[in-house]
Amino acid sequence: MRATAVPAATPNHALADFLASRGTRPTRAPSPRPVSSEEMVTGQVISRPASPTASLDLTDPVSQATRARTHRAGLRPVARTRPGVPTILTSRTPTVTLTRLQTGIGSLSFTAVSPESAGDLRIGCAVQLRTGEMSTVETIGCRRSAPKNSRRPVIVGWRDQRDRISVDLRQCRSLDRLVIYAFSETGAELRWAGALVVSTFGGATIEVPIEASPSRDVRVLLSLYNVRGEFILRAEQDSGSASVREACQAYGFDRITWLDARTPVG
């Protein structure tokens, strides 16, 4: 069943500019319901099926009218990965868009690569599913998958020699957006160094340098939006937050209930 577009507000040009590398991340007040990535970009309210279908069609169901409106918004051609060449996201070139094949086959992994001198740097993610559910996943503690306690988690986190988070792309249409954040496990000062490395099933590599002055902040390194069946990745030039809770709320994850500044309820 195809989604239908319900007439709503005019396109969100601030978000469109943000995803096209022309602006900074816009902020928004808590909404009465979760807002999807497509709604953020197009300004259209998208009505979706109650649950994802089992179809292998990776084409996201968006009307041609919506596509035409986005085209008229004047978005620049999207940046893509290149075979055999790592894509490095910087303040000058902060975004890259994965193809539908890269978005829908195998898994997408995020790995924190940092020297011992950086300190006990760990990564986690805040995630919003297409159902509107929001939660966090970390490589330590008890919240290592989302949805929590699911037999088929969309996202899992673990630690071997490095911190790793992986997205199951067989369920790519269940994922709306996420952010990857970095923090100190013990709350100690971090000497920010290294990179967040994103790897596709086909071998493409995307690197986000971790560069900042020493601090105890929580920093969002990268955001991901699922727009029309393609993942858009953006390196965030984040100034830092005092806690995981504050960092998640700053990026619009306002439907998570918190036990304390680090731990969600449940």
Side-chain angles (χ1 to χ4, degrees), residues 14 18 38 57 64 77 121 132 140 145 154 160-161 163 174 189 196 202 210 239-240 242 258:
F18 160 70
E38 288 171 24
D57 180 11
Q64 292 187 3
L121 188 149
I140 55 177
S145 64
V154 178
D160 42 35
Q161 293 181 336
D163 277 30
S174 298
E189 182 177 87
L196 177 69
I210 301 175
S239 59
W258 297 87

Side-chain angles (χ1 to χ4, degrees), residues 98-253:
L98 303 185
T99 66
R100 282 177 171 79
L101 287 178
Q102 291 173 320
T103 298
I105 294 178
S107 62
L108 186 69
S109 66
F110 304 86
T111 305
V113 180
S114 60
E116 290 186 6
S117 59
D120 60 340
L121 188 149
R122 302 287 181 263
I123 59 171
C125 79
V127 57
Q128 177 178 328
L129 301 179
R130 286 290 170 92
T131 60
E133 178 183 350
M134 297 181 184
S135 60
T136 63
V137 173
E138 292 186 355
T139 62
I140 55 177
C142 61
R143 301 191 66 86
R144 300 194 184 191
S145 64
K148 189 177 181 183
N149 299 325
S150 171
R151 293 185 178 181
R152 295 186 64 225
V154 178
I155 299 177
V156 295
W158 74 96
R159 177 172 176 77
D160 42 35
Q161 293 181 336
R162 304 189 187 280
D163 277 30
R164 305 180 192 274
I165 291 174
S166 179
V167 178
D168 178 7
L169 297 183
R170 293 172 299 178
Q171 304 181 73
C172 64
R173 294 182 66 176
S174 298
L175 177 63
D176 188 68
R177 65 187 181 104
L178 63 78
V179 297
I180 303 290
Y181 58 83
F183 63 100
S184 165
E185 181 179 359
T186 61
E189 182 177 87
L190 293 174
R191 295 183 174 275
W192 300 92
L196 177 69
V197 179
V198 187
S199 303
T200 70
F201 182 74
T205 301
I206 301 156
E207 299 177 2
V208 180
I210 301 175
E211 300 172 337
S213 301
S215 72
R216 290 180 169 82
D217 294 337
V218 176
R219 293 182 177 271
V220 172
L221 305 177
L222 176 137
S223 60
L224 178 153
Y225 293 84
N226 186 352
V227 179
R228 303 187 188 95
E230 295 182 338
F231 285 175
I232 300 176
L233 281 64
R234 176 179 171 102
E236 294 293 343
Q237 309 302 314
D238 190 35
S239 59
S241 301
S243 66
V244 171
R245 176 177 61 191
E246 185 178 304
C248 291
Q249 291 175 343
Y251 281 78
F253 293 89

